[in-house]
């Protein structure tokens, strides 16, 4: 059975259509595998080879990868939630209630969106501190560190704008306080608040503006900066590696002890 | 021939090359266009019509308020206070970050739930992070004997409305 | 299966090779080979499949959480009624705790802006690049700056009654004092560890500790009117 499926897959990979899509060719040679990365518009952000010691969980804790994972979950669930949500007062609240109680799996999708969002903030902060404590921000990676900060800001802004959308008490007052903070900036503060809310009060205009920011502008910015972030890993020489970290896993217990003694 | 060229293209220090001239022209026009776009965006983002409540509120008959009472009008977010000196009204929105304050009858203070600011009955700040006292609002008596408050006009404190 | 060919190509032939780097050594530095024969593996499938596995495990965990815990949803937004206490999501509660002490323009605009700028410029200052212990070079001068900074910051926090931020600050200052009077050759591993930490490490650790303490206080220890409450006595 399994052999049959493998045969079909091998046949599929040899078809003209398949080869027109995946231009790196087929097979499992080093060249083919390198081309699988290099010939793909998304994957070519990465280098074709990575240092083996950087694949260890201890090296990165996979925090950046996991942050990307939460972002992918958020995009998927977010698009689905948009299908049942109208950014208007007071329909927005009723729609969220409908998602909770009427729409099939609506409750689950909203839960997943909310918890993934919290996790993303947590992971982004963890990633920041992890990168710092490893010293991976040092040149030539300094600009990628800056892009990381920008991505953290985008993450926080996404959380903040998403917070208003259910139009419940928590949302309303969090946004009231938040927009009043911006109003305290000297000279331009009041204007900034007015533009942010599209009025003097947190109301329908504010909800619509936050909706557009949350669903279009900020995700697009996030995708753009994530791409640059990944591409920079390759351009800056791969994941940062500490010279003190062993190149190979210590093969045996006693051998490593001997090495330390020497 | 060489002389002629010099007259058409003087080799002075201020001479700008064709390339730098067009670069400057291009960047300059791009700058003007950007400024125009920014101004346009600013105008576009500022709504011209707002569907918000009128700032002028009718607070009802003056006689319905007892002396030494503080009444919170929740919908319009104002306090109407009647003291022996007369009436006044002030905003119920905390000057710190816009939370709705509440009158604590037993303590005789106005308290903000968000960041813990306290105000006196006259709006003076007693404690907490609020930067300013609660603003007094313009109050007058209508022809029908109703108290009217304009929430958009702030007056100096201690200007009581005597009846 | 296809017939085996009389030659093998590709597989494994260059898997262990890494790129050669040509380096021009200028000035009077000596060339040193730090690492050679670094073992590299193919991104596809080695790294990509690991990443996919990590994301899958995360997704499973989040799906399980979402099945058992519902996202909060309060009553319809009511401009006439501020809930007490009105709390932001947990990641902003550190900020909200600062709003309790400082004027909004300081806590809500100035402090976040300074933080972001400080984070952005970290890799652009040589003092943050160096990996030597803070008090190993220019000891006298750095000790003076440290004393001035620690006392100034503590007095500032004391003056504004920000005890919540003062206590972690004093803790870090105390640990830094231990570091200042420890030698990197100390027999105790902890003192050796502390003595080797550069200034950026100390500042970041202080920031991390403040972030955690302020967030925890804002989340669990603040009740109605932003007053101090104990979470286990509700």
């Amino acid at each position: 059975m399994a052999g049959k499926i493998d045969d079909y897959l091998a046949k599929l990979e040899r078809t003209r259509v398949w080869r027109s899509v995946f231009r790196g060719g087929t097979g499992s040679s080093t060249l083919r595998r390198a081309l699988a990365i290099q010939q793909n518009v998304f994957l070519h952000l990465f280098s074709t080879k990575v240092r083996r010691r950087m694949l260890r969980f201890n090296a990165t804790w996979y925090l950046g990868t996991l942050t990307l994972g939460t972002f992918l979950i958020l995009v998927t669930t977010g698009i689905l939630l948009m299908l049942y949500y109208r950014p208007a007062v007071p329909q927005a609240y009723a729609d969220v209630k409908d998602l909770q109680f009427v729409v099939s799996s609506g409750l689950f999708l909203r839960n997943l969106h909310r918890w993934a969002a919290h996790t993303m903030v947590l992971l982004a902060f963890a990633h920041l501190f992890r990168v710092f404590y490893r010293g991976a921000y040092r040149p030539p990676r300094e600009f990628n560190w800056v892009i990381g900060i920008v991505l953290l800001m985008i993450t926080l802004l996404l959380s903040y704008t998403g917070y208003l959308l259910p139009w419940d008490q928590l949302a309303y007052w969090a946004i009231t306080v938040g927009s009043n903070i911006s109003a305290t900036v000297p000279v331009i503060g009041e204007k900034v608040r007015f533009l942010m809310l599209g009025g003097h009060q947190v109301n329908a205009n504010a909800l619509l503006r936050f909706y557009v920011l949350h669903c279009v502008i900020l995700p697009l910015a996030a995708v753009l900066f994530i791409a640059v972030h990944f591409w920079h890993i390759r351009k800056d020489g791969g994941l940062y590696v500490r010279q003190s970290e062993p190149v190979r896993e210590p093969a045996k217990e006693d051998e490593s002890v001997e090495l330390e003694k020497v | 021939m060489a002389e002629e060229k010099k007259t058409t293209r003087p080799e002075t220090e201020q001479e700008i090359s064709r390339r730098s001239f067009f670069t400057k022209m291009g960047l300059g026009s791009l700058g003007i266009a950007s400024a125009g776009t920014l101004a346009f965006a600013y105008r576009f983002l500022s709504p011209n019509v707002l569907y918000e409540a009128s700032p002028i509120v009718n607070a009802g008959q003056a006689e319905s308020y007892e002396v030494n009472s503080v009444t919170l009008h929740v919908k319009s977010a104002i306090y109407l206070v009647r003291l022996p000196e007369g009436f006044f009204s002030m905003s119920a929105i905390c000057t710190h970050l816009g939370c709705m304050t509440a009158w604590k009858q037993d303590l005789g203070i106005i308290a903000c739930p968000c960041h813990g600011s306290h105000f006196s009955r006259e709006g003076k700040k007693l404690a907490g992070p609020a930067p300013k006292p609660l603003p007094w609002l313009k109050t007058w008596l209508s022809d029908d004997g109703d108290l009217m408050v304009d929430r958009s006009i702030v007056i100096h404190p201690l200007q009581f409305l005597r009846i | 299966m296809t017939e085996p060919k009389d030659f093998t190509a590709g597989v494994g032939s260059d898997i262990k090779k890494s790129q050669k780097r040509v380096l021009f050594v200028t000035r009077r530095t000596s060339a040193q080979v730090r690492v050679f024969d670094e073992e590299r593996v193919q991104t596809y499938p080695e790294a990509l499949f690991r990443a996919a596995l990590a994301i899958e495990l995360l997704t499973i965990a989040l799906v399980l959480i979402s099945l058992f815990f519902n996202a909060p949803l309060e009553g319809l937004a009511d401009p006439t009624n501020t809930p007490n206490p009105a709390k932001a999501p947990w990641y902003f509660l550190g900020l909200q705790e600062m709003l309790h002490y400082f004027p909004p323009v300081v806590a809500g605009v100035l402090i976040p802006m300074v933080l972001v700028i400080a984070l952005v410029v970290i890799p652009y200052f040589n003092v943050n690049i160096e990996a030597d212990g803070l008090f190993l070079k220019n000891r006298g001068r750095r000790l003076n700056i440290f004393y001035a900074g620690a006392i100034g910051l503590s007095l500032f926090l004391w003056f504004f009654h920000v005890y919540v931020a003062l206590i972690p600050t004093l803790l870090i200052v105390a640990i830094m004092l231990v570091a200042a009077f420890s030698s990197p050759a100390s027999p105790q591993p902890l003192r050796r560890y502390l003595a080797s930490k550069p200034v950026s490490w100390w500042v970041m650790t202080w920031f991390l500790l403040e972030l955690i303490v302020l967030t925890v206080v804002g989340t669990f220890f603040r009740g109605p009117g932003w007053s101090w409450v104990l979470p286990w006595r509700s």
Side-chain angles (χ1 to χ4, degrees):
Chain A
M1 188 66 200
K4 225 175 192 179
I5 293 172
D6 282 348
D7 284 350
Y8 276 124
L9 282 178
K11 226 178 234 170
L12 178 69
E13 284 183 354
R14 280 195 298 273
T15 58
R16 230 175 116 175
V17 177
W18 181 278
R19 281 185 296 156
S20 75
V21 178
F22 301 100
R23 306 183 67 171
T26 58
S28 57
S29 67
T30 306
L31 173 67
R32 295 298 188 217
R33 286 176 167 177
L35 287 176
I37 297 290
Q38 198 202 27
Q39 298 286 321
N40 184 301
V41 68
F42 306 107
L43 294 178
H44 97 281
L45 293 171
F46 306 108
S47 54
T48 55
K49 282 183 176 184
V50 290
R51 297 181 179 91
R52 181 179 279 288
R53 52 178 159 163
M54 293 316 293
L55 291 180
R56 280 181 219 146
F57 182 76
N58 264 346
T60 58
W61 296 356
Y62 282 64
L63 288 170
T65 310
L66 293 175
T67 314
L68 173 74
T70 53
F71 182 72
L72 295 177
I73 295 174
L74 285 163
V75 170
T76 317
T77 53
I79 288 172
L80 293 173
L81 290 172
M82 279 169 81
L83 297 178
Y84 280 99
Y85 176 85
R86 286 164 294 172
V89 178
Q91 286 93 325
Y93 183 72
D95 288 345
V96 177
K97 276 275 182 214
D98 274 3
L99 276 166
Q100 298 262 73
F101 297 108
V102 179
V103 180
S104 302
S105 306
L107 178 65
F108 168 73
L109 282 177
R110 188 172 112 81
N111 288 350
L112 190 55
H113 195 75
R114 174 64 69 97
W115 301 135
H118 283 294
T119 312
M120 185 172 174
V121 174
L122 193 69
L123 284 171
F125 269 111
H127 184 42
L128 173 103
F129 283 107
R130 181 81 187 139
V131 164
F132 176 82
Y133 283 120
R134 275 183 69 78
Y137 61 89
R138 297 196 180 105
R141 293 177 178 78
E142 65 262 56
F143 189 60
N144 216 14
W145 167 266
V146 176
I147 294 170
I149 304 289
V150 171
L151 279 169
L152 180 71
M153 295 298 115
I154 292 176
T155 308
L156 289 174
L157 283 175
L158 274 166
S159 307
Y160 179 67
T161 50
Y163 211 69
L164 178 65
L165 302 187
W167 201 248
D168 64 345
Q169 274 288 69
L170 218 57
Y172 182 87
W173 290 102
I175 304 308
T176 302
V177 170
S179 60
N180 280 325
I181 289 176
S182 63
T184 59
V185 180
V187 188
I188 56 164
E190 287 290 339
K191 271 284 157 214
V192 169
R193 185 182 122 91
F194 184 72
L195 290 184
M196 199 164 108
L197 297 180
H200 301 292
Q201 295 155 4
V202 179
N203 218 323
N205 277 358
L207 180 59
L208 197 53
R209 278 174 195 216
F210 276 55
Y211 175 76
V212 172
L213 277 173
H214 185 77
C215 299
V216 182
I217 297 172
L218 290 171
L220 279 178
V223 167
L224 196 74
F225 279 100
I226 288 171
V228 180
H229 201 54
F230 286 172
W231 178 79
H232 253 280
I233 300 174
R234 167 157 74 90
K235 285 291 165 184
D236 296 342
L239 292 175
Y240 174 78
V241 63
R242 275 180 176 168
Q243 299 307 338
S244 58
E245 282 168 326
V247 177
R248 289 188 184 80
E249 301 274 2
K252 288 178 208 155
E253 280 292 306
D254 48 13
E255 198 182 75
S256 65
V257 172
E258 266 173 45
L259 277 174
E260 264 174 32
K261 274 181 193 160
V262 172
Chain B
M1 203 56 189
E3 288 289 309
E4 236 179 64
K5 245 186 186 169
K6 261 194 179 159
T7 50
T8 51
R9 282 188 56 201
E11 297 273 334
T12 55
E13 278 178 31
Q14 295 97 343
E15 188 200 24
I16 46 168
S17 70
R18 189 183 158 87
R19 172 167 299 191
S20 85
F21 172 74
F22 279 110
T23 308
K24 275 175 187 148
M25 281 284 284
L27 286 178
S29 46
L30 207 64
I32 293 166
S34 312
T37 311
L38 272 180
F40 172 82
Y42 173 76
R43 280 306 310 150
F44 177 76
L45 288 173
S46 316
N48 293 325
V49 181
L50 287 173
Y51 301 94
E52 292 176 352
S54 159
I56 296 169
V57 186
N58 185 331
Q61 282 287 315
E63 292 314 312
S64 62
Y65 296 92
E66 286 173 30
V67 179
N68 282 325
S69 71
V70 179
T71 313
L72 172 61
H73 285 258
V74 171
K75 283 243 169 74
S76 41
I78 54 167
Y79 287 107
L80 250 165
V81 185
R82 184 174 185 182
L83 296 183
E85 294 97 314
F87 289 92
F88 69 92
S89 65
M90 60 187 173
S91 165
I93 292 171
C94 182
T95 51
H96 182 224
L97 288 171
C99 294
M100 183 84 119
T101 58
W103 165 244
K104 304 280 174 199
Q105 181 74 52
D106 42 340
L107 298 172
I109 55 160
I110 292 166
C112 174
C114 286
H115 307 91
S117 295
H118 291 172
F119 303 91
S120 74
R121 201 165 50 174
E122 285 84 20
K124 239 180 77 184
K125 193 191 90 169
L126 302 174
K132 283 181 285 186
L134 292 177
W136 285 39
L137 303 172
K138 190 185 166 190
T139 313
W140 70 98
L141 211 59
S142 75
D143 296 342
D144 308 332
D146 285 349
L147 279 168
M148 305 296 283
V149 180
D150 190 337
R151 288 180 287 170
S152 60
I153 299 176
V154 174
I155 59 170
H156 286 290
L158 302 177
Q159 293 178 300
F160 293 98
L161 175 70
R162 276 171 247 273
I163 297 171
Chain C
M1 280 280 116
T2 49
E3 286 286 308
K5 287 171 185 154
D6 52 352
F7 62 90
T8 55
V11 190
S13 59
D14 57 352
I15 200 158
K16 281 191 177 140
K17 280 185 198 160
S18 57
Q19 296 98 316
K20 296 277 186 296
R21 290 192 178 145
V22 177
L23 185 74
F24 292 100
V25 180
T26 55
R27 292 192 201 150
R28 273 171 293 167
T29 52
S30 61
Q32 261 186 323
V33 178
R34 304 284 291 274
V35 165
F36 51 92
D37 193 25
E38 167 88 63
E39 195 183 354
R40 283 165 186 263
V41 290
Q42 298 284 139
T43 303
Y44 171 82
E46 302 259 0
L48 278 186
F49 280 23
R50 277 180 172 85
L53 181 68
I55 291 176
E56 276 167 23
L57 290 175
L58 173 83
T59 310
I60 290 170
L62 283 172
V63 163
L64 286 177
I65 291 172
S66 307
L67 285 174
F68 293 109
F69 299 97
N70 283 342
L73 182 65
E74 296 197 352
L76 177 64
D78 181 3
T80 65
N81 172 26
T82 308
N84 192 357
K87 284 195 184 182
W90 62 267
Y91 34 83
F92 288 136
L93 284 184
L95 198 70
Q96 202 174 348
E97 180 69 26
M98 299 313 292
L99 279 171
H100 180 62
Y101 302 106
F102 300 111
V105 70
V106 175
V109 182
L110 212 62
I111 291 178
M113 249 168 65
V114 167
L115 279 181
V116 171
I117 292 171
L119 283 174
V120 163
V121 300
I122 284 175
Y124 292 98
F125 281 96
N126 281 336
V127 68
N128 295 326
I129 307 298
E130 69 180 38
D132 290 333
L134 170 57
F135 298 107
L136 298 183
K137 233 171 26 180
N138 299 332
R139 190 180 159 78
R141 196 166 144 254
R142 287 185 174 192
L143 266 177
N144 286 338
I145 295 174
F146 163 62
Y147 289 143
I151 292 170
L153 185 64
S154 303
L155 282 179
F156 174 77
L157 294 173
W158 179 268
F159 182 74
F160 281 94
H161 306 288
V162 196
Y163 305 119
V164 171
L166 180 63
I167 291 165
T169 306
L170 291 179
L171 185 70
I172 292 286
V173 167
I175 301 173
M176 284 180 85
L177 276 174
V178 174
F181 295 100
S182 300
S183 131
S186 166
Q188 286 161 284
L190 180 69
R191 298 187 77 165
R192 222 163 41 222
Y193 177 79
L194 291 178
S196 68
K197 290 302 165 199
V199 62
S200 58
W201 189 91
W202 289 109
V203 175
M204 200 67 159
T205 307
W206 172 75
F207 170 55
L208 177 60
L209 191 66
E210 291 284 4
L211 202 65
I212 293 172
V213 168
L214 289 176
T215 307
V216 166
V217 166
T219 311
F220 298 111
F221 292 87
R222 290 300 186 178
W226 211 251
S227 59
W228 184 265
V229 292
L230 298 174
W232 50 87
R233 250 195 263 159
S234 55

